Amino acid sequence: HPVLRARGLTVSYGGFTALDGVDLDLAAGRITAVVGPNGAGKSTLFHCLAGTLRPDAGRIAVGGRDVTRLPAHARTRLGVARTFQRLAVFPTLTVAENVRVGAEQGHVVDPAAVERALRLLRLDGAVRARPAAGLPTGTLRRVELARALAGSPRVLLLDEPAAGLDTDEVAALARVLGALAADGTALLVVEHDLDLVAGLADTVHVMTAGRIVSSGPAGEVLGRP
Ligand code: ADP
Ligand code: ADP
């Protein structure tokens, strides 16, 4: 059984259909990717799953429970975490404080989970006490991911996690996401970087004009190993 199951998601902006009956399953321990050109509807789908946009039609269930009408914060409490494309850290808070506040927003203040997230992203050294302002993009992305993990989510939605990262950082990110999947988390990666997706995702869905037009193992769908 998928942890997250979406059926028939449809979103129109005015008369324009941005999402046109999309079905998507996210399974525990699996990395699912959604790729596609600009304007395909990837962000619209992401917002529907995260709860920041109510679809005009369709259903979303998490752990068998219908969450279609639940707002983002209620989904967070049910174990759905997300990252942001535009980094949303608090500049004057330290790295560790940012991660802790992330957990508090999910209403799950478990100091052990905060420490685990800091460790997994290797933010548990001297950097933990530094203010977020002025840290390099790669570090801020790790803070962002650690914040999402601090609530021990069972579903993690990642919006273009490789944006702005160099090759080494992308490889490090892939290792972290692989470790989370091995731990049983259901991951969704909405991504432009096909190299990240090719090396990482179990299943790739290609979106065009609001529909999923092709799905399968990464090697098959992207035509590379
Ligand atoms: P992607 O993330 O794949 O680039 P989006 O979901 O952002 O695609 O957008 C899908 C389509 O919906 C695009 O044609 C975009 O211009 C349109 N769109 C997105 N958001 C809005 C909005 N708030 N109002 C009107 N049109 C929008
Ligand atoms: P290392 O050389 O040990 O990989 P880095 O500073 O590049 O050192 O990364 C430290 C750790 O943080 C990585 O091993 C990985 O666990 C994680 N990491 C690095 N960059 C990212 C990123 N952009 N997103 C998520 N995790 C990352």
Side-chain angles (χ1 to χ4, degrees), residues 12 104 121 221:
S12 297
E104 281 162 6
L121 278 308
V221 171

Side-chain angles (χ1 to χ4, degrees), residues 120-122 138 141-142 145 165 169 172-173 175-176:
L120 181 64
L121 278 308
R122 298 211 191 147
R141 291 238 167 252
R142 283 153 58 196
L145 186 47
L165 301 185
E169 288 171 334
L173 170 66
R175 285 197 297 277
V176 169

Side-chain angles (χ1 to χ4, degrees), residues 13 16 18 37-44:
Y13 299 113
F16 175 78
N38 267 329
K42 304 183 300 296
S43 297
T44 300

Side-chain angles (χ1 to χ4, degrees), residues 137-139 141-142 161-171 173 193:
T137 302
T139 307
R141 291 238 167 252
R142 283 153 58 196
L165 301 185
D166 66 29
T167 313
D168 289 346
E169 288 171 334
V170 170
L173 170 66
D193 186 332

Side-chain angles (χ1 to χ4, degrees), residues 21-162:
V22 166
D23 299 338
L24 188 76
D25 286 340
L26 303 181
R30 311 289 277 175
I31 301 180
T32 304
V34 172
V35 301
N38 267 329
K42 304 183 300 296
S43 297
T44 300
L45 171 63
F46 188 93
H47 285 295
C48 286
L49 300 178
T52 42
L53 180 68
R54 178 91 50 89
D56 299 313
R59 291 262 155 256
I60 302 167
V62 173
R65 167 164 178 192
D66 193 311
V67 302
T68 315
R69 308 186 71 81
L70 290 187
H73 63 86
R75 292 189 201 185
T76 308
R77 248 174 283 143
L78 291 175
V80 181
R82 63 162 299 182
T83 60
F84 292 85
Q85 202 174 339
R86 188 147 11 110
L87 292 166
V89 294
F90 297 104
T92 60
L93 298 188
T94 68
V95 163
E97 285 164 349
N98 264 286
V99 174
R100 201 174 310 125
V101 166
E104 281 162 6
Q105 284 176 347
H107 305 273
V108 193
V109 191
D110 175 4
V114 171
E115 287 308 313
R116 212 163 38 236
L118 287 169
R119 246 189 342 266
L120 181 64
L121 278 308
R122 298 211 191 147
L123 295 168
D124 52 335
V127 72
R128 68 178 289 141
R130 291 184 50 196
L135 292 175
T137 302
T139 307
L140 291 176
R141 291 238 167 252
R142 283 153 58 196
V143 173
E144 172 72 7
L145 186 47
R147 287 177 63 166
L149 292 178
S152 305
R154 53 180 170 162
V155 178
L156 179 58
L157 309 172
L158 298 135
D159 195 3
E160 306 219 354

